[in-house]
C-alpha cells in the first residue's frame, strides 16, 4: 500500500533563510514522492526544480529576489507551488493563479490551503474516488480545486505510463 503524500505546512518550512542550493534540495525532496522511480528506485525524470529555474523565477518576478542570497519560507512555499503547477500550466498562468490566490488570503494561509486540497485530490486520484467529496466553499477554492485536479491527473498519468512501459501494468483493451 502506498504511503500518504504530505506537503510540509507553512509553519514546518525553515524559518531561517536558505541559500539557493538549499532551496533546490528542499523542494526536490518534498516533491520526490510524486516523481516516478525506475526499477532501482532512482528517480527517472529530471529534477522538478533546479537552480536555473529558481534564478529564472526570480528574474521573471514570480519569486521575489533573495535578501543577502537567502530565501525566506514564503519564497520556499511559492517555489513548491510553482513546481506542482508547472507540470500543467505555463509560467504566465501560474503567475496569474498565484496572484488570484493571494488576493483572497495571506501567503501562509493560501499555501496551507493549497497543501490540504492537493493532498485530498491526490488521494481521490490514486483511489479512483469522486472529486466532488473535496469541498470548495468559494470561487477561489473551486478554481484551486480544478487546477489541482489537473496537476494530480498529470502525475497519475506519468506514473501509469511508467508502469506500462516497465511492464508492471497491463494496457487497457479499449478506452
Amino acid at each position: 500500500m502506498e504511503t500518504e503524500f504530505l506537503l510540509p505546512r507553512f509553519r514546518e518550512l525553515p524559518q531561517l533563510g536558505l541559500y539557493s542550493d538549499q532551496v533546490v534540495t528542499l523542494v526536490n525532496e518534498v516533491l520526490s514522492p510524486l516523481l516516478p522511480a525506475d526499477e532501482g528506485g532512482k528517480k527517472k525524470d529530471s529534477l522538478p526544480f533546479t537552480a536555473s529555474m529558481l534564478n529564472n523565477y526570480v528574474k521573471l518576478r514570480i519569486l521575489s529576489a533573495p535578501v543577502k542570497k537567502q530565501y525566506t519560507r514564503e519564497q520556499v512555499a511559492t517555489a513548491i507551488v510553482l513546481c506542482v503547477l508547472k507540470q500543467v500550466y505555463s509560467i504566465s498562468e501560474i503567475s496569474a493563479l498565484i496572484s488570484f490566490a493571494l488576493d483572497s488570503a495571506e501567503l501562509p494561509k493560501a499555501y496551507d490551503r493549497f497543501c490540504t486540497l492537493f493532498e485530498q485530490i491526490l488521494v481521490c486520484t490514486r483511489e479512483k474516488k469522486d472529486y466532488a467529496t473535496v469541498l470548495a466553499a468559494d470561487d477561489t477554492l473551486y478554481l484551486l480545486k480544478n487546477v489541482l485536479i489537473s496537476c494530480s491527473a498529470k502525475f497519475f498519468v506519468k506514473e501509469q505510463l511508467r508502469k506500462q512501459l516497465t511492464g508492471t501494468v497491463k494496457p487497457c483493451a479499449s478506452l
Side-chain angles (χ1 to χ4, degrees):
M1 183 173 173
E2 292 182 47
T3 60
E4 186 176 358
F5 174 76
L6 297 173
L7 287 169
R9 294 308 187 258
F10 188 81
R11 70 184 179 284
E12 298 168 337
L13 295 173
Q15 289 182 338
L16 299 174
L18 300 178
Y19 292 104
S20 63
D21 59 327
Q22 294 170 311
V23 173
V24 169
T25 299
L26 176 64
V27 171
N28 286 323
E29 285 176 2
V30 164
L31 297 177
S32 67
L34 294 176
L35 301 175
D38 65 13
E39 298 306 310
K42 291 177 72 179
K43 299 297 175 191
K44 256 187 135 163
D45 290 353
S46 60
L47 294 174
F49 196 58
T50 64
S52 296
M53 289 176 189
L54 178 61
N55 292 332
N56 287 336
Y57 294 145
V58 170
K59 285 179 189 173
L60 293 169
R61 296 190 175 153
I62 296 170
L63 275 176
S64 57
V67 175
K68 296 181 182 177
K69 298 185 180 184
Q70 292 187 330
Y71 291 86
T72 64
R73 70 164 125 183
E74 287 83 0
Q75 292 162 307
V76 173
T78 304
I80 292 168
V81 171
L82 278 164
C83 286
V84 170
L85 298 182
K86 81 177 181 83
Q87 302 302 311
V88 177
Y89 296 98
S90 70
I91 295 301
S92 61
E93 291 168 328
I94 293 169
S95 182
L97 288 166
I98 289 172
S99 258
F100 183 73
L102 293 177
D103 283 346
S104 64
E106 294 294 318
L107 190 130
K109 182 178 179 182
Y111 172 75
D112 285 349
R113 187 167 53 185
F114 172 92
C115 293
T116 300
L117 199 53
F118 189 47
E119 292 161 0
Q120 291 170 346
I121 288 169
L122 284 170
V123 169
C124 289
T125 302
R126 186 180 64 236
E127 296 177 6
K128 301 175 180 92
K129 291 183 177 178
D130 189 354
Y131 296 111
T133 61
V134 178
L135 300 178
D138 59 42
D139 289 344
T140 303
L141 278 177
Y142 186 71
L143 174 63
L144 180 58
K145 175 182 173 178
N146 284 287
V147 165
L148 293 174
I149 287 170
S150 63
C151 294
S152 178
K154 177 78 176 211
F155 285 115
F156 178 78
V157 167
K158 281 181 160 182
E159 178 64 12
Q160 294 307 304
L161 289 173
R162 184 200 60 79
K163 287 179 178 177
Q164 191 171 4
L165 291 172
T166 61
T168 56
V169 150
K170 295 185 181 181
C172 298
S174 64
L175 294 176

